[in-house]
Amino acid sequence: MSDSGEFKEIRRPGELEFIGRRGGEPVQLVPADVIAAVPAAKRAAEEANRDLDFDFLDDRVVLTMLRERHLDEEAMFKAGFKFGAPLAIVGFGAIVYWGGVAQYWESGRSQWIYEVAAVLAVLTLLFFFVRSAVTHWSDPRRQNLRARARRYREIAHIARSGGGDIPKRYPHYGPYPFAATFHPEVEESRRPEDEGQG
């Protein structure tokens, strides 16, 4: 919210913009010629082009990749929230109810039934949470996207360190510490955000 108490309107990305952080403002794409003007960054981009089968000095394909990376981040959040929130609520509720009510029941059989039901509910939600996370994180198309996004971030940092006019933290999202392995054998005719449609 702004100082006046009104909600801040988040504007949609313009022609050469992308959203670099979930829920953040659009970020202007740094043109490839700015990156290529730094020799070390240009060499890094050319090496990455060979390693990841992707042209890191083509503004249009880089912009598409960054927009898809944002959609991937949104999908990661939704996948985690879908089962993570119920898991946290049910788990917390089961503990609180045990501490406040169930442990004082006179019947040991009733307590045992409650414990079994609570554990089954938590384990069921945990199973769906883990399955959702593994499905999302292990998808090779998504991993290729993350690998390219991570490498682009490294190239941009090299360019900034070499004197390029690049904003701090550009492209404004964190690195992927895992699930960003490049799979050259993967058919990429479908984009990650297309999955589950149709």
Side-chain angles (χ1 to χ4, degrees), residues 22 69-82 132 136-137 142 146 176 179:
R22 189 175 56 80
R69 188 220 55 81
H70 170 69
L71 295 174
D72 179 53
E73 187 178 73
E74 290 281 328
M76 280 191 281
F77 176 80
K78 289 175 184 173
F81 190 79
K82 182 177 181 180
S132 175
H136 188 88
W137 279 102
R142 292 180 183 273
R146 296 178 199 128
Y176 288 107

Side-chain angles (χ1 to χ4, degrees), residues 10-11 19-26 70:
I10 297 177
R11 61 186 182 83
I19 297 176
R21 183 180 296 124
R22 189 175 56 80
E25 286 291 319
H70 170 69

Side-chain angles (χ1 to χ4, degrees), residues 127-144:
F127 167 77
F128 285 113
F129 176 77
V130 170
R131 187 182 72 168
S132 175
V134 168
T135 299
H136 188 88
W137 279 102
S138 65
D139 183 280
R141 290 187 195 93
R142 292 180 183 273
Q143 288 194 17
N144 282 359

Side-chain angles (χ1 to χ4, degrees), residues 3-150:
D3 293 338
S4 63
E6 297 177 1
F7 285 101
K8 181 179 179 182
E9 181 181 347
I10 297 177
R11 61 186 182 83
R12 299 179 65 83
E15 183 180 356
L16 292 176
E17 292 181 326
F18 63 96
I19 297 176
R21 183 180 296 124
R22 189 175 56 80
E25 286 291 319
V27 177
Q28 184 73 30
L29 179 75
V30 171
D33 57 358
V34 173
I35 292 173
V38 178
K42 185 177 182 181
R43 284 193 301 273
E46 290 169 347
E47 181 181 330
N49 290 352
R50 292 188 297 272
D51 293 346
L52 301 180
D53 190 27
F54 187 82
D55 190 352
F56 288 91
L57 296 177
D58 182 322
D59 288 340
R60 286 293 169 189
V61 296
V62 167
L63 181 62
T64 298
M65 180 267 295
L66 292 173
R67 288 176 173 173
E68 289 177 357
R69 188 220 55 81
H70 170 69
L71 295 174
D72 179 53
E73 187 178 73
E74 290 281 328
M76 280 191 281
F77 176 80
K78 289 175 184 173
F81 190 79
K82 182 177 181 180
F83 295 108
L87 175 60
I89 291 168
V90 169
F92 180 74
I95 291 169
V96 169
Y97 191 76
W98 172 262
V101 177
Q103 69 173 326
Y104 300 111
W105 291 343
E106 292 182 11
S107 169
R109 185 172 185 274
S110 296
Q111 289 178 341
W112 182 82
I113 292 172
Y114 174 80
E115 289 172 357
V116 169
V119 168
L120 284 177
V122 169
L123 288 178
T124 300
L125 287 171
L126 182 62
F127 167 77
F128 285 113
F129 176 77
V130 170
R131 187 182 72 168
S132 175
V134 168
T135 299
H136 188 88
W137 279 102
S138 65
D139 183 280
R141 290 187 195 93
R142 292 180 183 273
Q143 288 194 17
N144 282 359
L145 173 63
R146 296 178 199 128
R148 288 169 174 158
R150 181 171 66 183

